[in-house]
């Protein structure tokens, strides 16, 4: 979900095989660089394999171009890799979120063979996508500041996963603006929020105090 010169990306924490829960602290959101994040819903092994391939390609790009990949370029890369495997696809539905030029948020999602879906407000993926569409549609408003955006995304996620038996056990939320990212982990109880700030954000505050 996008805000004013910022974006938030969130996922639940459940890893399961159909109705059997395997783990309750599974990570689905990956940091590509300071201004770009990737969420991968779907088969866990395919998600990890796809992420490793994307990290490899991004590092090659950094060596060749001596700069980080823009969100639009990264989305094209993900789409190309997925379409390359269209006859034996990765069972993943990626969500890409990043800050482009002039801190303009970029978000998109795609299906398992790389057909992109671009949006200017929010995108969803996974088993709870139907309830997520409803919650995000009702809660979203343009120009939200990072604090309001975090609250909106968190409530939308919790409300949606409560309506899906294959999702849940809390969530991970990342709110990103400029070169600062704040990571939040909350459990399945709405009142139990644990805020974990990134090392970069803590170092920035320490430098201000010193």
């Amino acid at each position: 979900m996008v805000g004013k010169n910022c974006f938030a990306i969130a996922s639940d924490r459940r890893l399961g095989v159909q109705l059997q829960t395997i783990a309750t602290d599974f990570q689905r959101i990956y940091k590509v660089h300071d201004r770009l994040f990737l969420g991968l819903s779907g088969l866990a092994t395919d998600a990890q394999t796809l992420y490793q391939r994307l990290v490899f390609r991004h590092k090659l790009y950094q060596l060749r171009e001596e700069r980080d990949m823009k969100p639009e370029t990264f989305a094209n890369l993900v789409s190309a890799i997925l379409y390359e495997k269209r006859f034996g696809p990765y069972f993943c539905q990626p969500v890409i979120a990043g800050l482009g030029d002039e801190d303009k948020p970029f978000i998109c999602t795609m299906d398992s063979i790389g057909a992109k879906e671009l949006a200017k407000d929010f995108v969803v993926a996974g088993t709870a996508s139907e309830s997520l569409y409803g919650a995000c549609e009702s809660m979203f408003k343009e120009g939200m500041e990072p604090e309001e955006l975090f609250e909106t995304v968190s409530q939308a996620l919790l409300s949606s996963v409560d309506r899906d038996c294959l999702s849940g056990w809390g969530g991970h939320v990342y709110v990103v603006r400029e070169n600062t990212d704040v990571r939040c982990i909350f459990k399945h109880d709405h009142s139990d929020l644990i805020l974990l700030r990134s090392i970069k954000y803590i170092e920035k505050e320490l430098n201000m105090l010193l």
Side-chain angles (χ1 to χ4, degrees):
M1 186 178 288
V2 303
K4 184 179 180 182
N5 295 330
C6 62
F7 69 87
I9 182 169
S11 75
D12 70 332
R13 304 172 70 202
R14 180 183 183 271
L15 172 64
V17 178
Q18 296 182 3
L19 298 179
Q20 180 184 5
T21 299
I22 306 299
T24 60
D25 57 353
F26 189 66
Q27 179 74 27
R28 285 190 177 84
I29 300 174
Y30 305 95
K31 182 176 180 179
V32 181
H33 59 75
D34 288 343
R35 298 163 64 87
L36 180 60
F37 283 74
L38 170 69
L40 291 172
S41 67
L43 187 63
T45 50
D46 278 359
Q48 291 169 348
T49 302
L50 178 60
Y51 172 67
Q52 290 170 0
R53 285 195 66 187
L54 291 170
V55 167
F56 171 70
R57 296 289 289 271
H58 182 256
K59 286 181 178 178
L60 285 179
Y61 183 91
Q62 284 177 317
L63 288 171
R64 185 173 62 248
E65 302 290 335
E66 297 182 354
R67 60 189 171 95
D68 289 327
M69 202 176 279
K70 292 182 179 179
E72 297 86 352
T73 309
F74 187 76
N76 291 333
L77 170 65
V78 176
S79 180
I81 288 177
L82 289 174
Y83 188 71
E84 179 185 323
K85 296 282 187 179
R86 62 191 179 279
F87 298 114
Y90 293 114
F91 293 106
C92 295
Q93 192 173 358
V95 172
I96 298 159
L99 292 177
D101 297 332
E102 300 177 355
D103 294 330
K104 183 179 180 182
F106 171 87
I107 56 171
C108 88
T109 185
M110 56 191 75
D111 61 12
S112 60
I113 60 169
K116 287 191 291 184
E117 178 188 343
L118 303 174
K120 295 182 179 179
D121 45 10
F122 61 85
V123 292
V124 301
T127 58
S129 57
E130 291 184 3
S131 53
L132 275 168
Y133 269 120
C136 293
E137 192 74 49
S138 62
M139 296 181 184
F140 175 80
K141 60 182 181 180
E142 294 184 1
M144 287 187 287
E145 295 292 336
E147 294 78 11
E148 186 181 6
L149 181 62
F150 165 71
E151 183 69 25
T152 302
V153 169
S154 301
Q155 293 299 333
L157 178 68
L158 287 173
S159 299
S160 302
V161 299
D162 283 348
R163 291 165 173 79
D164 179 37
C165 64
L166 299 179
S167 308
W169 291 97
H172 295 107
V173 179
Y174 290 80
V175 180
V176 182
R177 60 177 178 182
E178 298 176 4
N179 291 323
T180 302
D181 61 273
V182 180
R183 179 190 179 201
C184 311
I185 300 175
F186 51 84
K187 298 180 182 178
H188 57 283
D189 185 3
H190 285 250
S191 62
D192 189 5
L193 295 176
I194 306 170
L195 178 62
L196 301 177
R197 295 184 178 178
S198 68
I199 295 174
K200 181 177 293 186
Y201 197 69
I202 295 172
E203 288 179 346
K204 184 178 179 181
E205 288 189 340
L206 289 175
N207 290 334
M208 289 175 64
L209 292 173
L210 296 173

